[in-house]
Amino acid sequence: MSPRERPDAEDAVLQIRGAVLRRGERTLWSGLDLDVAPGELIAVLGPSGSGKTTLLRAILGLEPLSEGTITALGRPVQRKGNRRIGYLPQARPLPRETSMRGRDLVALGVDGHRFGLPVPRRGDRARIDRLVDEVGASHFADEPIGVLSGGEQQRLRVGQALADDPRLLLCDEPLTSLDLANQQAVVRLIDEHRRSGAAVLLVTHDINPVLGKVDRILYIANGRFTLGTPKDVLTSPVLTDLYGAAVFVLRAGDRLVVVGAPDAEESHHHHDHETHA
């Protein structure tokens, strides 16, 4: 099945039905139905506080929905997790005094577990070496991770996330704070895994770096959402309707800039919220 086609329910790696997320009296979103196919990349956009990260946490089994169901890899999500679901967090630099080596971070994805102590297995060292090489980290993998740049640390996190060859990869703003070169490197690694047949759900505040890779966009705002291809979702009429206020989608070179999107919780994006079709 082509990753560019809308998935059939029976083929979906991820199925979400009737999902509702509330915070107290506030409904962040409701009525979310989503099927994600093998080899499909869906970007999740929206202002801060709209429930994007919580959606990923719900898929991981770390936070319950208010209503609805999630089935991942053919099974209802559960709190003990699923090692065939990979998770790539934001690129937050680790403290400089962190003493573990770069390859030790990758090793946590190979011989570690979400709960409990690592259990070494035969062939782990070779597997760690292969992952380190695949993410282009061989020349700094034996350095203390605290002295590595944010981009170098994030490459190692990609290796950790891909350690179990996940069929579903969840990425929570993985490009934040990275320079352009490292953004491109991380996008390339994510896309290579997608092209191997994995499904990817990627939360981002700027879709520009993944322009040519995205199949569909889930845009959440103002307690509502819209789902479709970039050219269908990222238009002035669609986003104006979603926000309930005038929003303009402008082209600047090969980028799209969304201007005027109300975002009281993230004021630095209020007038110049960049995104890309």
Side-chain angles (χ1 to χ4, degrees):
M1 171 179 179
S2 168
R4 303 286 168 175
E5 297 172 0
R6 187 66 56 89
D8 295 324
E10 60 268 23
D11 296 320
V13 174
L14 174 69
Q15 293 178 298
I16 300 176
R17 291 290 181 271
V20 179
L21 181 64
R22 299 188 185 95
R23 284 290 175 268
E25 297 298 314
R26 181 186 174 205
T27 298
L28 297 182
W29 33 262
S30 65
L32 176 60
D33 293 327
L34 177 64
D35 293 318
V36 186
E40 185 177 27
L41 194 160
I42 294 182
V44 184
L45 303 179
S48 177
S50 59
K52 304 184 301 296
T53 292
T54 306
L55 175 60
L56 298 191
R57 288 179 55 82
I59 296 168
L60 288 167
L62 300 176
E63 192 154 346
L65 295 171
S66 301
E67 296 178 27
T69 61
I70 302 177
T71 302
L73 309 179
R75 296 189 298 179
V77 298
Q78 45 192 322
R79 288 193 62 82
K80 68 179 182 180
N82 186 328
R83 290 183 64 80
R84 298 307 302 278
I85 301 177
Y87 175 68
L88 180 59
Q90 288 188 31
R92 290 196 176 100
L94 292 166
R96 189 168 181 82
E97 61 272 16
T98 304
S99 58
M100 72 164 64
R101 300 172 302 164
R103 69 173 58 252
D104 296 332
L105 186 63
V106 177
L108 290 175
V110 173
D111 59 18
H113 193 270
R114 192 183 305 278
F115 307 103
L117 296 173
V119 179
R121 295 168 295 187
R122 181 178 299 176
D124 280 354
R125 182 180 179 86
R127 194 154 161 237
I128 293 165
D129 287 342
R130 188 186 76 250
L131 286 163
V132 165
D133 182 63
E134 287 177 353
V135 299
S138 297
H139 62 292
F140 55 79
D142 291 309
E143 297 293 327
I145 197 165
V147 305
L148 300 178
S149 71
E152 290 169 337
Q153 290 182 14
Q154 194 68 341
R155 288 187 190 219
L156 293 163
R157 289 191 185 97
V158 174
Q160 182 187 45
L162 299 183
D164 278 302
D165 191 24
R167 291 179 54 210
L168 174 61
L169 179 62
L170 307 177
C171 306
D172 189 6
E173 299 203 15
L175 310 178
T176 300
S177 303
L178 298 185
D179 61 26
L180 181 59
N182 279 302
Q183 283 186 352
Q184 291 174 340
V186 171
V187 169
R188 176 181 56 79
L189 293 167
I190 292 170
D191 187 53
E192 285 176 355
H193 191 65
R194 177 192 67 81
R195 286 189 280 111
S196 75
V200 178
L201 214 61
L202 188 149
V203 170
T204 181
H205 70 273
D206 178 7
I207 200 174
N208 284 292
V210 290
L211 166 62
K213 317 298 183 186
V214 173
D215 297 294
R216 288 187 289 160
I217 288 174
L218 173 62
Y219 203 121
I220 306 170
N222 202 31
R224 301 168 60 203
F225 68 87
T226 187
L227 176 67
T229 65
K231 66 181 178 63
D232 292 333
V233 169
L234 298 176
T235 70
S236 297
V238 168
L239 295 187
T240 292
D241 178 66
L242 187 64
Y243 279 100
V247 176
F248 302 95
V249 180
L250 309 177
R251 182 167 292 279
D254 62 350
R255 301 169 71 89
L256 287 186
V257 182
V258 177
V259 180
D263 191 357
E265 297 175 87
E266 196 172 14
S267 60
H268 67 286
H269 283 159
H270 187 119
H271 295 294
D272 189 11
H273 178 77
E274 285 195 359
T275 192
H276 198 208

